[in-house]
Amino acid sequence: MKERAIRYCLLFLAMMVAFCPDSRADSDEESKLLDAIEVLHEINRIPENAIAPHLLKNAHGIAIVPGVIKLGFVVAGRHGQGVICVRNASGGWSNPSFVTLTGGSVGWQAGAQSTDVILVFKSRKSVDAIARGKFTLGADASVAAGPVGRHAEAGTDIQLKSEIYSYSRNRGLFAGVALEGAALQIDDAANAALYQQQYITPNQIFDGASGSPPQTVEDFKKVLSRYAP
């Protein structure tokens, strides 16, 4: 009796997947954009513990990876999916391209953790390198834990010499985080699903040649422009 009930449940789930695969795929990507919008709203919620405003204002690229999962026992790893945008010629923000963030470490640690990761790029050089292939933080470009708060200009890292500044958000607070060795890679499958173009490239997305994106894309860009004008 129990086995028959399990078979019926599996059959029902299979039918649901068969009848609505497209809507499910769309909702996955748009849901991730909505998660990124929530992270952006959190940036200025506590100004004293937020990403330094001058850094956001002068950023040439921003990556937001909500809900990065860190799992491990002795050998730990992290993985997450998010989006990356670049400044266009007029100073506004491009359409977002999906990326994955993957990294690992070895040490005596155990447990699981989910956190939001934000990367702020000082120039488009690193973003262009990401668009060309796999990109490793710390190896392909210098990365440092970013300054926080409105008065971060008075800190020791006033010259901001690194190419990329990294942050994490956990329990509502932003803090600089070390991400050396983590890899950023374009998520072509997610881009194809969101923009409904099978072979769309990240540069086509950044240049605006991505057809008619869903309203969620425009909503994301508006919120990003509010916090990184």
Side-chain angles (χ1 to χ4, degrees):
M1 187 69 177
K2 184 178 180 180
E3 292 179 356
R4 181 180 298 177
I6 293 174
R7 285 200 299 270
Y8 283 144
C9 288
L10 293 174
L11 179 61
F12 175 76
L13 290 174
M15 291 174 64
M16 292 291 291
V17 171
F19 280 113
C20 56
D22 293 336
S23 61
R24 186 192 61 176
D26 289 345
S27 64
D28 286 346
E29 278 65 50
E30 292 192 56
S31 176
K32 185 61 68 174
L33 275 176
L34 291 174
D35 290 342
I37 288 174
E38 182 183 350
V39 174
L40 286 171
H41 281 314
E42 291 290 335
I43 284 179
N44 278 346
R45 184 160 293 182
I46 307 177
E48 293 75 15
N49 294 289
I51 297 174
H54 70 288
L55 194 59
L56 287 174
K57 182 178 179 180
N58 296 308
H60 286 264
I62 292 179
I64 302 170
V65 189
V68 174
I69 302 297
K70 182 177 181 181
L71 297 169
F73 180 77
V74 182
V75 178
R78 61 173 68 89
H79 179 77
Q81 182 194 49
V83 292
I84 187 169
C85 292
V86 299
R87 295 273 190 192
N88 55 35
S90 63
W93 289 101
S94 71
N95 286 344
S97 168
F98 278 93
V99 292
T100 58
L101 175 69
T102 307
S105 60
V106 177
W108 292 103
Q109 51 191 314
Q113 182 182 8
S114 175
T115 187
D116 304 319
V117 171
I118 303 96
L119 301 173
V120 181
F121 299 82
K122 287 182 61 184
S123 74
R124 185 164 171 169
K125 178 177 65 176
S126 295
V127 181
D128 288 340
I130 294 169
R132 292 193 297 267
K134 192 174 181 180
F135 182 90
T136 302
L137 298 171
D140 296 315
S142 58
V143 60
V148 297
R150 290 176 175 173
H151 304 292
E153 292 90 343
T156 57
D157 201 19
I158 178 65
Q159 297 180 359
L160 298 176
K161 295 180 180 179
S162 291
E163 174 69 16
I164 304 169
Y165 286 87
S166 53
Y167 295 84
S168 67
R169 185 184 75 94
N170 200 354
R171 296 180 181 177
L173 298 179
F174 283 90
V177 62
L179 282 179
E180 290 188 356
L184 272 174
Q185 193 166 9
I186 297 295
D187 190 337
D188 293 314
N191 284 338
L194 182 69
Y195 294 105
Q196 297 295 297
Q197 297 184 44
Q198 186 173 1
Y199 299 110
I200 192 168
T201 67
N203 284 328
Q204 287 176 318
I205 294 171
F206 296 150
D207 293 338
S210 48
S212 300
Q215 181 60 40
T216 317
V217 169
E218 293 302 318
D219 294 341
F220 172 79
K221 290 164 62 178
K222 287 178 182 177
V223 177
L224 180 56
S225 297
R226 184 191 311 173
Y227 297 118

